[in-house]
């Protein structure tokens, strides 16, 4: 099973948290504090989020991937070239969405 989440419990004044999973767009990476979604974070680098402020002690921090399954990453049109990168992006989007759904059903 693929990892699509990383969980922590706040123990001090930490604001930076790493996560191990790949994603397509930064907007696919979400954070919740005690199961309440928050947008009060930025990306420190590609695999580290930085919370705007340190949560209270014992707060459950969940970093997870939520890939959109409503719109494909690339759209193909009659008569246009089909690029391998676009095909790969669409298949990756489908793979990530399937992994997330599998993890949510367990």
């Amino acid at each position: 099973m693929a990892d699509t989440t990383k969980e922590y419990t706040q123990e001090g004044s930490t604001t930076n948290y790493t996560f191990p999973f790949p994603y397509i767009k930064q907007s696919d990476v979400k954070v919740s504090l005690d199961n309440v979604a928050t947008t009060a974070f930025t990306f420190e680098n590609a695999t580290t989020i930085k919370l705007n402020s340190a949560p209270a002690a014992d707060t459950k921090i969940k970093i997870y991937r939520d890939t959109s399954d409503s719109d494909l990453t690339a759209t193909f049109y009659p008569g246009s070239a089909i690029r391998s990168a676009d095909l790969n992006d669409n298949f990756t989007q489908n793979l990530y969405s399937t992994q997330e759904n599998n993890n949510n059903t367990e």
Side-chain angles (χ1 to χ4, degrees):
M1 173 187 341
D3 286 331
T4 61
T5 63
K6 179 67 176 173
E7 296 182 4
Y8 294 94
T9 300
Q10 177 67 343
E11 295 178 358
S13 59
T14 304
T15 57
N16 286 9
Y17 294 92
T18 61
F19 58 92
F21 51 83
Y23 55 92
I24 297 172
K25 300 179 292 188
Q26 285 186 344
S27 61
D28 294 340
V29 178
K30 313 288 186 194
V31 176
S32 67
L33 304 174
D34 284 337
N35 294 317
V36 177
T38 182
T39 58
F41 68 93
T42 56
F43 279 80
E44 192 73 3
N45 60 46
T47 59
T48 304
I49 61 109
K50 180 176 184 162
L51 299 173
N52 292 355
S53 59
D58 297 323
T59 298
K60 302 293 183 206
I61 301 161
K62 181 179 178 182
I63 305 168
Y64 59 100
R65 187 180 68 209
D66 184 20
T67 306
S68 172
D69 62 357
S70 31
D71 294 314
L72 290 174
T73 302
T75 304
F76 303 101
Y77 299 97
S80 66
I82 297 177
R83 299 176 340 144
S84 61
D86 291 337
L87 288 172
N88 288 336
D89 287 346
N90 281 356
F91 280 107
T92 299
Q93 179 185 16
N94 184 42
L95 172 67
Y96 289 176
S97 182
T98 301
Q99 290 171 342
E100 293 154 14
N101 285 328
N102 287 343
N103 286 345
N104 290 336
T105 59
E106 294 180 354

